[in-house]
């Protein structure tokens, strides 16, 4: 049966039904890194990781992965964009598994810079050959007995940004869209949307490019069958009513370049002194 948001050890089951599992890890980051969620999807004994993070999370995430599947069952890593908390652990996953990495075509040529010469020499094939460079429109990636839909979310916040939709669980893994800055209990669904806004507001005003990009994204999601939006930072939006609340909020938010004026581009404020 579906065990939405039940907890087992460090794993939070977002969905668990008929051999299809969506698992959130919300407390693997140690040290000074920002709170971040990592996600594991299992279908027909095949595995995929979404935004696995950097060195801070590699070892604990690998341990959790090993409790559920064998290394050779990891088919994909889905990277929403290029940030360190998304994909900096790439060299280790490339070295110790045979998985492919799904990411934007804009970042596919940059990701090899994460790997040292030693790592690339240990690989049985070129790193570039294991990267699936997605076109801007996105697409469907076959996975187990199902598929993962790669959805465009460009400029939210990265210029080449994707989100990942699981049609079995109807979960949208939304990357930084919907993120909230909280310190603990990120596995708990949002209960009071209005009280949650202060945890989201500053982040979205700065990291999302513009209201236009937000509105276009929200229009896309409204046409989809989404039961849950789960961001990479903070708490999930569970249930259609809460999903709708977030879509309405973000559609009306001024952010990014909407909030800029000439004062944000002022050399003298930055310390430049005009020659006399």
């Amino acid at each position: 049966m579906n065990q939405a948001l039940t907890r087992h050890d460090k794993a939070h089951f977002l969905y668990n039904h008929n051999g299809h599992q969506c698992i959130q890890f919300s407390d693997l980051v140690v040290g000074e890194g920002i709170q971040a969620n990592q996600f594991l999807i299992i279908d027909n004994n095949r595995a995929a990781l979404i935004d696995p993070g950097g060195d801070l999370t590699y070892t604990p995430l690998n341990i959790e992965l090993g409790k559920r599947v064998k290394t050779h069952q990891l088919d994909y890593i889905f990277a929403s964009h290029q940030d360190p908390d998304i994909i900096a652990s790439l060299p280790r996953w490339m070295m110790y598994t045979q998985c492919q990495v799904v990411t934007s075509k804009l970042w596919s040529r940059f990701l090899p810079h994460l790997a040292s010469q030693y790592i690339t020499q240990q690989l049985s094939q070129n790193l570039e050959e294991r990267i699936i460079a997605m076109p801007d429109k996105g697409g469907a990636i076959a996975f187990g007995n199902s598929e993962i839909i790669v959805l465009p979310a460009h400029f939210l916040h990265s210029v080449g940004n994707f989100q990942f939709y699981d049609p079995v669980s109807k979960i949208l893994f939304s990357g930084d869209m919907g993120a909230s800055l909280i310190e603990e209990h990120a596995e708990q669904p949002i209960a009071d949307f209005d009280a949650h806004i202060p945890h989201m507001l500053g982040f979205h005003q700065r990291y999302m490019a513009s209201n236009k990009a937000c509105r276009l994204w929200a229009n896309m999601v409204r046409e989809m069958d989404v039961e849950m939006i789960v961001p990479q930072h903070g708490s999930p939006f569970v249930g259609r009513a809460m999903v709708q609340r977030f879509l309405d909020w973000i559609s009306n938010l001024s952010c990014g370049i909407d909030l800029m004026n000439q004062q944000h581009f002022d050399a003298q404020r930055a310390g430049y002194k005009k020659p006399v």
Side-chain angles (χ1 to χ4, degrees):
M1 74 186 282
N2 185 6
Q3 301 172 8
L5 291 169
T6 58
R7 182 167 185 169
H8 178 69
D9 195 19
K10 292 189 175 182
H12 314 284
F13 283 83
L14 301 168
Y15 185 90
N16 186 7
H17 186 60
N18 288 343
H20 188 92
Q21 297 180 334
C22 298
I23 303 171
Q24 173 182 336
F25 304 99
S26 60
D27 57 359
L28 298 184
V29 174
V30 296
E32 298 181 1
I34 187 174
Q35 187 278 330
N37 303 314
Q38 300 80 40
F39 305 101
L40 171 65
I41 303 179
I42 299 174
D43 186 272
N44 192 34
N45 295 316
R46 308 310 302 176
L49 286 171
I50 295 178
D51 293 345
D55 283 346
L56 286 173
T57 57
Y58 173 78
T59 297
L61 181 58
N62 196 29
I63 291 172
E64 292 298 321
L65 180 70
K67 295 176 182 178
R68 295 161 179 87
V69 292
K70 302 296 184 184
T71 301
H72 70 270
Q73 294 173 292
L74 181 63
D75 291 336
Y76 300 109
I77 286 176
F78 290 88
S80 57
H81 55 288
Q82 79 291 352
D83 281 358
D85 62 319
I86 296 292
I87 198 59
S89 60
L90 174 68
R92 296 198 191 189
W93 295 110
M94 292 290 97
M95 188 170 181
Y96 297 117
T97 77
Q98 291 302 308
C99 71
Q100 294 178 287
V101 178
V102 180
T103 194
S104 166
K105 66 178 182 179
L106 297 184
W107 301 121
S108 61
R109 291 181 296 172
F110 290 81
L111 293 188
H113 285 276
L114 295 172
S116 68
Q117 186 177 18
Y118 170 78
I119 293 292
T120 56
Q121 288 175 345
Q122 304 305 306
L123 299 178
S124 58
Q125 61 187 133
N126 290 335
L127 183 60
E128 291 91 339
E129 295 175 1
R130 292 172 59 184
I131 296 176
I132 300 175
M134 296 299 296
D136 282 346
K137 67 179 181 179
I141 302 292
F143 170 62
N145 289 332
S146 182
E147 60 185 5
I148 301 295
I149 308 300
V150 181
L151 291 170
H154 308 305
F155 298 99
L156 302 171
H157 65 93
S158 173
V159 296
N161 196 69
F162 284 111
Q163 297 172 353
F164 309 107
Y165 175 73
D166 173 23
V168 176
S169 64
K170 301 180 182 179
I171 295 175
L172 175 59
F173 296 93
S174 60
D176 282 321
M177 176 57 81
S180 54
L181 303 181
I182 59 178
E183 296 297 327
E184 55 184 3
H185 301 304
E187 77 281 0
Q188 294 297 323
I190 297 160
D192 185 334
F193 185 85
D194 291 330
H196 189 67
I197 288 175
H199 299 289
M200 300 188 293
L201 181 60
F203 180 88
H204 286 78
Q205 285 177 324
R206 180 59 191 236
Y207 281 86
M208 301 302 144
S210 69
N211 177 257
K212 178 180 179 180
C214 292
R215 283 188 287 107
L216 294 174
W217 172 83
N219 291 343
M220 174 185 70
V221 177
R222 285 191 183 97
E223 297 298 317
M224 299 174 60
D225 189 8
V226 176
E227 292 278 359
M228 193 182 307
I229 294 178
V230 187
Q232 193 227 352
H233 304 286
S235 303
F237 303 85
V238 178
R240 295 180 185 274
M242 192 61 74
V243 167
Q244 188 61 50
R245 283 294 307 275
F246 177 71
L247 296 179
D248 290 344
W249 179 77
I250 197 66
S251 294
N252 291 286
L253 183 70
S254 294
C255 56
I257 61 174
D258 306 326
L259 304 176
M260 284 191 160
N261 55 46
Q262 192 62 60
Q263 285 191 333
H264 293 95
F265 298 88
D266 187 330
Q268 293 186 54
R269 288 183 69 203
Y272 173 76
K273 294 181 174 56
K274 238 180 182 179
V276 178

